[in-house]
Amino acid sequence: MPRIGRPHKYGQRLTAEAIAGLPLCERSLTLHGKPQKLRLRSAVVLARFLKDAPVRAVWCEFYDDRKQTWAKPRLLLATETALSASAILELYCSPLGHRSLVSSSETLLGH
């Protein structure tokens, strides 16, 4: 059945199921001077709050050694879409890099 009203201007909204379906990459990176186990998922999406500018969205989960479980996913956004997910994470964790990235899980999920 066709929808009533205007067509969607921004395309499909990302859901938790769509994010879970993205390819998963497990890495071990040295962040803040110690090795960290990470799970990364990334996609190039359009950010509504940036007037449909393409951004690289990276969902990262850190492994908590004390609890022996993965932490909840965190979202990092970068306007430099050519960077890889691990490069964005390293840039974000550098002392000066975090100022150039936006971090908010609600922006793309619509919460």
Side-chain angles (χ1 to χ4, degrees), residues 10 14 43-58 76-83 88 100-102 108:
Y10 298 104
L14 284 176
V44 175
V45 297
L46 300 178
R48 290 175 61 178
F49 64 94
L50 293 175
K51 298 182 182 171
D52 284 345
V55 296
R56 165 85 51 193
V58 180
L76 303 172
L77 299 177
T79 55
E80 188 60 50
T81 59
L83 291 176
I88 290 171
S100 63
L101 298 173
V102 177
L108 292 178

Side-chain angles (χ1 to χ4, degrees), residues 11-19 22 43-45 57 59 108-111:
Q12 293 291 338
R13 184 179 295 260
L14 284 176
T15 62
E17 293 81 25
I19 294 167
L22 292 172
V44 175
V45 297
W59 290 269
L108 292 178
L109 296 178
H111 294 284

Side-chain angles (χ1 to χ4, degrees), residues 8-44:
H8 284 286
K9 181 176 178 181
Y10 298 104
Q12 293 291 338
R13 184 179 295 260
L14 284 176
T15 62
E17 293 81 25
I19 294 167
L22 292 172
L24 179 69
C25 175
E26 289 196 14
R27 300 272 169 134
S28 181
L29 297 174
T30 302
L31 302 173
H32 299 295
K34 62 180 185 175
Q36 296 278 330
K37 287 197 297 187
L38 304 161
R39 284 182 179 168
L40 303 171
R41 298 177 195 270
S42 92
V44 175

